[in-house]
Amino acid sequence: MAPRDVVLEVEHLSMRFGGLVAVNDLSFSAARGDITALIGPNGAGKTTVFNCITGFYKPTSGRITMSLGGPAEPNDVAALTASGNRAMRTARGQLFLLERMPDYEITARAKVARTFQNIRLFPGMTVLENLIVAQHNALMIASGYTVKGLFGFGSYQRAEADAVALARSWLDRLGLTARADDAAGALAYGDQRRLEIARAMCTGPELLCLDEPAAGLNPRESSELKDFIRSIARDHGTSVLLIEHDMSVVMEISDKVVVLEYGIKIADGSPEAVRNDPKVIAAYLGVEDDAVAEAEAEIAQ
Amino acid sequence: MSAPASTLTIPGAVRDALKVGLITLGLSIPILAVRTDQNLSNQIVLLPRWGLVASAVGIAIAVRLAYLLLAAVRQARGGALIGSLGVRLPAQAGTMFARAAVVFLFLYPVIALSLAGTGGAVKWIDNFGIQILIFIMLGWGLNIVVGLAGLLDLGYVAFYAVGAYTTALLGKTFGLSFWLCLPLAGILAAFWGIILGFPVLRLRGDYLAIVTLAFGEIIRLVLINWVPVTNGYAGITGIPRPSFFGVPFNASDQGFSAVFGLPFSPLYRTVFLFYLILLLALLTNWVTLRLRRLPVGRAWEALREDEIACRALGINTTSTKLTAFAIGAGFGGFAGSFFAARQGFISPESFTFMESAVILAIVVLGGMGSQVGVAIAAVLMIGGTEILRELDWMKEIFGSGFDPTQYRMLLFGLAMVLIMVWRPRGLVSTREPSIFLSERRAVSGAHVREGHG
């Protein structure tokens, strides 16, 4: 078997809020083009991991390596870590240490995009505008950082037309083209969820982090969402990192599942392996009666 | 008054209103038309007050007509709430209205001259035209910060002051002409916008408002207390006035009147200043509309809608906020520069918190983010206060000691409360999308967020 092409490597990640340890010494990796699921009971620290990866939190300790273009060489990672820089060019592509980068740069340069557990669209802007804002950095360069665009010089018109075309292609896939000029806040809940994913994809990410995309969807919408996420990974080659409570979604589309409980990783492997792991079953369903009796006996001794 | 007839036609409404006018006339002849007074030899004399009668009748007709029309609108909507009284126009109506308004503004001095004559026109062009246009420009400038980027700025007048003092000091100390001071004032104000922007980057909502308020006060207090430079309360006089491509507006042989072979009149300067501020305001509008369709403008609006989502999309919110502060402040600086050159005299008195409040009120009243709404609000608020000076006939009713301008703030506040009850999102509450795929549809104000700082 060829060595796994890892796009995201999380090593010894810890996040403390005062005395509370939300994530404790977590290590896992996500392979390029795979769908990796992060599951666990409520309060296990899944969203905290997301916030660390996407720069919304500065982790207390640990290293998060994002590698574009191919697997990272351990030597390169070590050299980058020692140099104190945020990013370096390697023979294959680029390497980023996400824990050193501010949030917007993680999206703009390291190509990690995310969605939110509670939908964060721009409700007062139209559906189309939401998708255009996502292409901000490319358009900003095309408009000569506003100067050229203001006076109508340069290629801004063409760049904007391209941006609209990209947005249009996503709207066609979502079946939302007819709603393009409506306020995003006026869309149905399920459409808002899918639009948020499309908006994240419009930033051109290599890794897409989805925080509970199926929350609040009915079974039909949830099954459509599965196909949508799968097509993102297959057709675009975008790796997906997924937090999800809906086990039917997780087990069906994930290539790999990482299970967290109280900020600690308790299992990591294929969906089948994780489903049958006694620790995972215990975390989700509680332990069996004889196990409780054993534990009580141990304490009594 | 009786209730309006169930089916209402325009001639019917006019007839009804005229009847009301007739009744008012009948009532006011015995009550208002003549006033008794004593003359010097203690005889009773009768003073006729037909002007008062005429205004009473006029008001009665206008009020009745407005009442009937509003009732008809309400009826057409199937007895909808009072909140829906606002006019709902098709998408093109806004643009058409704006075009008509611009044409009217370009013709305004001519209209004022032909209606009021040379003597009266100066007042109408200066007090109404120029004063309102300055506030339209300030409103549009602040609209970038508050309406688009959603950053509540209570100290906007500080940038107006920076622009005015830049022009005054550079003009007086170094003898720079107005045309050189104007861009410098804008640049310096933009620079101060960034200075203000840095410390408040992480603040939101109420906290941001307090700090911007404090910033405005700091600038004003510096202007008062830095006497060697700003001359304190006494202010700065003799600021160079703008010239017409190098030709000054004065009575000398090189003056505008002499060069163009016209009799000298202060009117030329006033008309020139009117067109100057009109062009500056239109420039502000053009730049704002243009920026809205550029990535930076969309980023401002996205920032107002959801800052965290912006960061997740790779938008640098720091530079986005700073550009909003800088560009908004820059336009405030231009307006301040014009103000200094128009007045020829400035003092800290002109840059109090009250001015900030009025500008902010214009933006909020107009509907945050709407260019047309802000312009209408400026006309109503500034024009309204100027109109109060013209209401001399009210002295006939309330006695000669009555000065309507003293009730300015009272009426102001009352108008604010009423408009906010009727139209809580301002006069123009819908948002124009910056780009569309198949059809331009205004976004309902219900979806648009106001920003959290």
Side-chain angles (χ1 to χ4, degrees), chain A residues 28-285:
Chain A
F28 71 92
S29 63
R32 196 179 308 277
D34 270 8
I35 299 176
T36 309
L38 200 57
I39 64 169
N42 285 328
K46 304 180 297 288
T47 299
T48 306
V49 173
F50 258 40
N51 282 339
C52 288
I53 293 172
T54 50
F56 282 80
Y57 293 158
K58 280 269 161 277
T60 316
S61 62
R63 182 166 69 186
I64 308 170
T65 318
M66 178 81 192
S67 109
L68 301 183
E73 295 291 334
N75 294 341
D76 287 342
V77 178
L80 176 58
T81 310
S83 72
N85 292 334
R86 294 167 179 176
M88 73 182 276
R89 292 196 174 280
T90 61
R92 289 202 187 89
Q94 278 175 293
L95 215 55
F96 296 92
L97 292 184
L98 302 188
E99 77 279 6
R100 294 179 181 174
M101 298 169 73
D103 43 29
Y104 68 91
E105 264 194 10
I106 289 179
T107 307
R109 294 181 58 205
K111 298 186 182 298
V112 179
R114 71 169 294 177
T115 66
F116 295 87
Q117 200 170 342
N118 44 343
I119 304 171
R120 283 187 176 275
L121 287 170
F122 305 122
M125 301 178 87
T126 65
V127 171
L128 179 66
E129 280 179 310
N130 268 274
L131 298 182
I132 301 282
V133 169
Q135 304 172 54
H136 175 81
N137 288 305
L139 288 173
M140 203 68 182
I141 294 166
S143 74
Y145 294 93
T146 307
V147 180
K148 285 199 295 189
L150 186 60
F151 297 103
F153 299 143
S155 54
Y156 177 65
Q157 298 292 331
R158 205 166 57 240
E160 198 184 58
D162 290 346
V164 172
L166 177 64
R168 171 96 204 232
S169 72
W170 281 102
L171 290 174
D172 287 341
R173 285 180 68 171
L174 295 179
L176 286 176
T177 315
R179 308 288 314 264
D181 299 321
D182 285 332
L187 291 185
Y189 182 84
D191 290 340
Q192 293 196 16
R193 280 251 174 247
R194 293 188 301 149
L195 179 63
E196 202 193 10
I197 298 173
R199 188 182 66 177
M201 286 304 293
C202 279
T203 64
E206 295 271 322
L207 176 68
L208 177 66
C209 301
L210 302 174
D211 197 344
E212 295 199 28
L217 300 189
N218 66 34
R220 198 177 58 87
E221 287 173 325
S222 162
S223 128
E224 279 172 12
L225 185 82
K226 269 186 262 184
D227 297 337
F228 186 48
I229 296 174
R230 231 190 246 137
S231 83
I232 284 174
R234 286 228 187 94
D235 308 342
H236 293 265
T238 306
S239 320
V240 177
L241 190 61
L242 177 75
I243 293 180
E244 191 47 71
H245 278 300
D246 186 335
M247 283 308 138
S248 77
V249 173
V250 170
M251 293 304 163
E252 205 171 310
I253 66 173
S254 310
D255 298 296
K256 176 180 168 176
V257 179
V258 177
V259 190
L260 284 186
E261 192 189 16
Y262 300 118
I264 297 167
K265 184 168 86 173
I266 57 172
D268 183 348
S270 69
E272 294 74 35
V274 164
R275 194 185 345 221
N276 300 321
D277 190 316
K279 274 200 210 152
V280 177
I281 296 170
Y284 268 91
L285 303 175

Side-chain angles (χ1 to χ4, degrees), chain A residues 56 103-104 107 116 120 122-124 126 129 132-133 136-137 139 146 149-150 152 156 160 164 180-182 185-186, chain B residues 290-291 293-296 298-299 302 305-306 308-309 311-312 314-316 431 434 436-439 441 443 447 449:
Chain A
F56 282 80
D103 43 29
Y104 68 91
T107 307
F116 295 87
R120 283 187 176 275
F122 305 122
T126 65
E129 280 179 310
I132 301 282
V133 169
H136 175 81
N137 288 305
L139 288 173
T146 307
L150 186 60
Y156 177 65
E160 198 184 58
V164 172
D181 299 321
D182 285 332
Chain B
R290 193 110 192 160
L291 286 176
R293 276 179 263 132
L294 286 170
V296 67
R298 295 204 184 103
E305 297 285 315
D306 195 324
I308 289 176
R311 279 153 53 191
I315 295 172
N316 184 344
R431 177 184 167 271
S434 64
F436 61 95
L437 199 60
S438 49
E439 181 195 359
R441 259 176 267 171
V443 174
H447 295 299
R449 293 200 180 151

Side-chain angles (χ1 to χ4, degrees), chain B residues 77-97:
Chain B
R77 294 257 181 88
L81 293 172
I82 203 162
S84 60
L85 284 182
V87 195
R88 198 170 299 155
L89 298 165
Q92 281 82 21
T95 345
M96 273 163 56
F97 173 76

